[in-house]
Structure formats: C-alpha cells, structure tokens
Amino acid sequence: MWGACAGLAGRSPLPLNILWTPTGPGLAELAGLGAARVSLGSLLYRSALAAAVATAAAVASGGPVGPVPGYADVQALSGS
C-alpha cells in the first residue's frame, strides 16, 4: 500500500497529502515516500475526547486526575 503512495507521488504534479495512522509509517518515512503534507484527520479530536472521558471518570470515582495544563500554559500555547 505505501509503495503505491510513492508511485503516485512520483507521477503526480500535485503535492501528495497522506492521512497518518498510528499503525502506519512515521513522518520521516512518509516524507521519503513523497508525502508533501500529512493530515491527522480526527486523531486530535478523538484523543481530546478520550482525555475528557478519562478526566470525567476520574472525577466521578474520586480518583486522581492526570496532569492538566494551567490557564497560563494554555494561553502561552495559543499565543495569547
């Protein structure tokens, strides 16, 4: 499958965009296959949702909540 990406990248005048998957090649290998851009699709949303569910479950059970960035940290990340 990934060899087909390299073939397509070599024949197309357009940049190749590839959807990254946890079970697929890493970024360096995708670049070597000719990927000009790598998309994460819904990965960030699904990761955030998993963290929200885990946090809610921890609060509901009285368990510890994992590390959480402070407001200043979040503002620094967003450039505010």
Side-chain angles (χ1 to χ4, degrees):
M1 172 175 148
W2 299 109
C5 293
L8 181 61
R11 289 190 307 270
S12 175
L14 302 173
L16 182 63
N17 188 54
I18 293 184
L19 178 64
W20 183 87
T21 65
T23 58
L27 294 178
E29 188 175 349
L30 290 173
L33 292 171
R37 293 184 297 258
V38 177
S39 298
L40 298 178
S42 65
L43 178 64
L44 296 179
Y45 168 75
R46 292 181 290 125
S47 295
L49 183 59
V53 169
T55 300
V59 170
S61 69
V65 173
V68 178
Y71 289 109
D73 297 324
V74 172
Q75 287 178 336
L77 288 172
S78 68
S80 299

